[in-house]
Amino acid sequence: MRDGTRLGFILLLTPLVLWLTLLIFIPHVDMFLVSLRERVGVGQYDTSLANYHTFLTEPLYLWTFLRTAVMSVVATVITLLIAFPVSYYIAKIAKGRLQSTLFLMCLIPFYVSELVRTFGWMILLRETGIVSNLLQWAGLADQPVEMLYNDAAIMIGLVYTSMLFMVVPLVTTLESLDDAVIEAGYDLGGNAWSVTREIVIPHAAPGIVSGSIVVFMLSLGNYLTPTMLGGKDSLWFTELIYSQFIVRFNWELGAAFGFMLLFLSSIIVWGMLKLTGQTLEKTMG
Amino acid sequence: MIPSIPQSRSLRALYGAYIALFFLYLALPLSVVAGFAFNDSQFPSLPWEGFTWDWFFGDTRPKIGVFHERPILRAIGTSAFIALMVSILSVAVGLSNAFLFNRYDFRGKGVLYVLMLLPLVIPGIVLGISILVFSSTVANAAWDAAQIDIEALRPGLVLVILGQFSFITTIATLVISARLQKFDRTLEEAALNLGAGRLTAVRTITLPYLMPAVIGAVVVAFLMSFENFNTTLMLVGSDAPLTVAMFDRLKEGSTPLLNAVSLLLMLGSSLLALAMIAFQRKK
């Protein structure tokens, strides 16, 4: 490199390196070190795996962890199933103005804070809410129905909140599928089902993977929706992290929880990429 | 199932109905939030007690409107300040990153690119606590070493800004990179041939070309910061931004005041989003 470009290179590299080391890399290493500390006295710490041991032996912690993981997977699958036909409609069936309007209508709810969206579901689902009143009016219920504070409400909220992150990558990949390829599938004797399975889904695979990764991540790390829509029996793992850090001030255990959450999400993201032969650069970038 | 392939009418009707139902589902929560902002009642729920503007402009108890509710106004100000700082910082670093990855080939570029993407796959709450832990380690070390109390490293505005910056920068980088990749390098070379220096060429040719992406990145960063909850919650100090302030109120029970704030938020962010789209169309 010439001297001029070399200087430019260093100037451009510095902010990137500072950002990644000071705000991402070192904080995570530090969090890991804190999670390995065990308080043995006032201001005295030993290095041990005690916090991870607590995590594995306390049934509530482990159970919440697994529950959060399973429910996030379920939320991802439901989101995919709901979003796929809609994305296909936007990408392949709607044309011109209708197409861009529908796509924009998918985006708009997500320019609004997640808090507002969750608040909307609370108004709809609570005992004095719209759905309960509607059911009574229709004669399907004879008293107010409480639909908040359970796992189904959490699921509705999670799916709603993540919908955009599934629709956008799906529409983008489906749009790049040439109509002629679908027609060829029919000409060769395929029907709607076999064409979808053999042509459309394989083509949309990158979109499905990146959408699923983002939705899974957002569900796993969600705090607001489970807290507002879930009941006292539907604990989310992020709520445990919050309570260890802010309420109980047990940072050592909280850091261990944080690390477990990070570990779980990394394993699943990595597994999904490996399983489908995608890379992070291709799905995110 | 594309228009050129004939389908039975009932199947098409069924598909259309599904799409209609989907958009109803999308619109429902937001419409009820907006609607109940005008309910003349203490609670954002049925029965409908009549139409009122009080939750926006009311100035007497119990119906104090948004524009007379000091804590909410202050929270909006805090959020706007944070969002402004985050968008300036993240777009500046994002611009620099985009040039780095687009213009230079160096050892470890691939690895660095993957590292740059990582903040997107780290749960927001984990980003928040890791920064909280690290900043307090530094603050404690500074205190032990020299009895200096670094206020900025305790939960508060600075940490919230850094926490949001840590992942919004990735998004800014991606938005700007996408446009820079489409840039025709020969235009810059033409400027160099005509006697411009390298910096002049970038400033007069490349940056104007990137402007729509830069504006887009600023708007996206601003909105993401304004809405962020998870990372912010872990790093917040005494000045709560709007999402955290609203969350605290919502836990205590809601009044249509929150609906009014939400409606204003919806209007604000859709206006911003539409303005951005209009701007990019014009280019």
Side-chain angles (χ1 to χ4, degrees):
Chain A
M1 272 185 232
R2 286 188 297 112
D3 280 354
T5 54
R6 186 165 187 87
L7 180 68
F9 174 70
I10 290 168
L11 282 177
L12 290 176
L13 189 65
T14 312
L16 177 77
V17 169
L18 282 179
W19 161 46
L20 289 176
T21 41
L22 289 180
L23 289 175
I24 308 292
F25 184 70
I26 300 181
H28 282 87
V29 171
D30 195 34
M31 185 175 82
F32 184 60
L33 293 179
V34 168
S35 80
L36 291 177
R37 282 197 320 205
E38 183 189 5
R39 196 179 306 184
V40 289
V42 181
Q44 281 190 312
Y45 296 97
D46 270 353
T47 303
S48 80
L49 288 171
N51 295 310
Y52 292 95
H53 187 252
T54 311
F55 168 76
L56 289 172
T57 48
E58 177 67 53
L60 175 74
Y61 299 156
L62 197 59
W63 171 242
T64 308
F65 185 68
L66 295 175
R67 218 183 74 91
T68 307
V70 171
M71 279 185 70
S72 301
V73 172
V74 174
T76 309
V77 173
I78 296 178
T79 313
L80 177 62
L81 291 179
I82 295 179
F84 197 85
V86 176
S87 315
Y88 188 83
Y89 192 91
I90 295 175
K92 287 276 133 229
I93 296 180
K95 293 277 174 261
R97 224 186 170 80
L98 178 67
Q99 183 178 36
S100 46
T101 313
L102 288 182
F103 192 58
L104 203 63
M105 272 166 61
C106 280
L107 297 187
I108 281 187
F110 302 93
Y111 280 115
V112 183
S113 161
E114 187 189 350
L115 191 89
V116 177
R117 287 176 254 153
T118 312
F119 184 35
W121 283 111
M122 288 174 77
I123 296 178
L124 282 166
L125 296 178
R126 70 168 137 218
E127 210 174 347
T128 53
I130 312 277
V131 178
S132 164
N133 272 286
L134 214 60
L135 287 176
Q136 289 175 71
W137 176 79
L140 292 170
D142 46 13
Q143 56 186 16
V145 199
E146 179 64 271
M147 273 168 288
L148 265 187
Y149 314 126
N150 57 49
D151 287 355
I154 296 186
M155 208 46 101
I156 292 177
L158 286 179
V159 169
Y160 186 84
T161 287
S162 345
M163 193 52 76
L164 163 87
F165 301 96
M166 193 63 96
V167 169
V168 170
L170 282 181
V171 169
T172 318
T173 48
L174 284 172
E175 262 185 333
S176 68
L177 175 61
D178 194 343
D179 281 2
V181 178
I182 302 179
E183 282 162 11
Y186 279 97
D187 289 344
L188 293 170
N191 54 32
W193 167 240
S194 64
V195 167
T196 307
R197 203 191 48 204
E198 303 286 341
I199 297 175
V200 179
I201 292 182
H203 183 86
I208 293 176
V209 173
S210 63
S212 301
I213 288 179
V214 176
V215 171
F216 175 77
M217 282 269 323
L218 288 177
S219 303
L220 195 67
N222 202 313
Y223 175 81
L224 197 61
T225 306
T227 315
M228 303 310 284
L229 302 181
K232 56 182 188 310
D233 296 327
S234 32
L235 208 56
W236 209 253
F237 197 63
T238 47
E239 294 176 63
L240 289 184
I241 298 180
Y242 180 80
S243 76
Q244 291 302 335
F245 261 90
I246 309 292
V247 186
R248 305 205 186 165
F249 222 67
N250 187 348
W251 283 24
E252 289 77 23
L253 190 57
F257 286 177
F259 227 81
M260 290 314 295
L261 188 72
L262 185 63
F263 179 70
L264 175 65
S265 79
S266 315
I267 283 287
I268 297 218
V269 169
W270 181 81
M272 249 163 38
L273 290 172
K274 276 279 162 277
L275 213 65
T276 53
Q278 307 281 327
T279 59
L280 194 64
E281 297 96 300
K282 260 180 26 204
T283 47
M284 297 290 158
Chain B
M1 268 204 283
I2 48 174
S4 57
I5 305 284
Q7 285 289 323
S8 81
R9 180 171 299 205
S10 57
L11 204 66
R12 256 189 306 169
L14 206 67
Y15 200 4
Y18 175 77
I19 302 299
L21 213 64
F22 174 80
F23 281 100
L24 185 72
Y25 163 78
L26 275 194
L28 210 55
L30 300 183
S31 336
V32 294
V33 169
F36 279 109
F38 301 100
N39 192 10
D40 195 358
S41 145
Q42 279 297 305
F43 306 102
S45 60
L46 291 172
W48 181 258
E49 304 275 7
F51 183 90
T52 179
W53 282 103
D54 283 359
W55 295 111
F56 291 89
F57 304 108
D59 54 1
T60 43
R61 282 188 182 285
K63 276 185 271 181
I64 295 183
V66 182
F67 295 110
H68 293 278
E69 180 75 12
R70 283 274 168 75
I72 290 285
L73 290 179
R74 199 176 315 126
I76 294 178
T78 310
S79 278
F81 173 73
I82 294 172
L84 195 68
M85 294 318 252
V86 169
S87 41
I88 292 173
L89 280 173
S90 58
V91 170
V93 176
L95 196 61
S96 147
N97 292 348
F99 272 99
L100 180 74
F101 286 117
N102 185 260
R103 295 295 166 85
Y104 291 91
D105 278 313
F106 51 94
R107 228 183 311 143
K109 180 174 171 177
V111 178
L112 212 55
Y113 191 74
V114 173
L115 285 178
M116 188 275 293
L117 291 175
L118 276 189
L120 284 189
V121 287
I122 299 174
I125 200 159
V126 175
L127 268 181
I129 56 174
S130 68
I131 290 175
L132 178 68
V133 167
F134 178 52
S135 64
S136 92
T137 304
V138 176
N140 291 343
W143 180 253
D144 290 343
Q147 311 286 304
I148 308 168
D149 188 25
I150 308 174
E151 188 60 36
L153 290 176
R154 304 292 177 190
L157 282 185
V158 176
L159 285 195
V160 171
I161 291 172
L162 287 178
Q164 296 183 353
F165 164 81
S166 71
F167 71 96
I168 292 179
T169 304
T170 302
I171 292 157
T173 307
L174 291 177
V175 171
I176 298 170
S177 291
R179 192 166 167 90
L180 189 58
Q181 266 163 19
K182 293 190 206 131
F183 178 68
D184 184 358
R185 287 287 294 271
T186 51
L187 290 177
E188 223 173 77
E189 278 156 24
L192 293 178
N193 283 342
L194 292 170
R198 193 158 269 287
L199 275 180
T200 318
V202 168
R203 189 167 52 79
T204 53
I205 308 288
T206 321
L207 284 184
Y209 170 84
L210 282 180
M211 227 35 199
V214 170
I215 305 253
V218 168
V219 172
V220 169
F222 190 91
L223 287 175
M224 288 196 76
S225 158
F226 211 93
E227 289 170 20
N228 183 267
F229 183 79
N230 282 357
T231 309
T232 310
L233 183 70
M234 306 308 298
L235 297 171
V236 75
S238 51
D239 319 323
L242 188 62
T243 43
V244 175
M246 280 176 74
F247 175 70
D248 288 340
R249 294 215 175 189
L250 209 52
K251 275 195 299 195
E252 292 161 11
S254 45
T255 68
L257 173 75
L258 291 179
N259 295 63
V261 181
S262 306
L263 181 57
L264 291 177
L265 272 183
M266 282 186 227
L267 289 178
S269 45
S270 359
L271 278 181
L272 207 54
L274 287 176
M276 176 184 81
I277 292 168
F279 178 80
Q280 283 171 344
R281 284 251 170 87
K282 205 180 70 187
K283 287 270 162 174

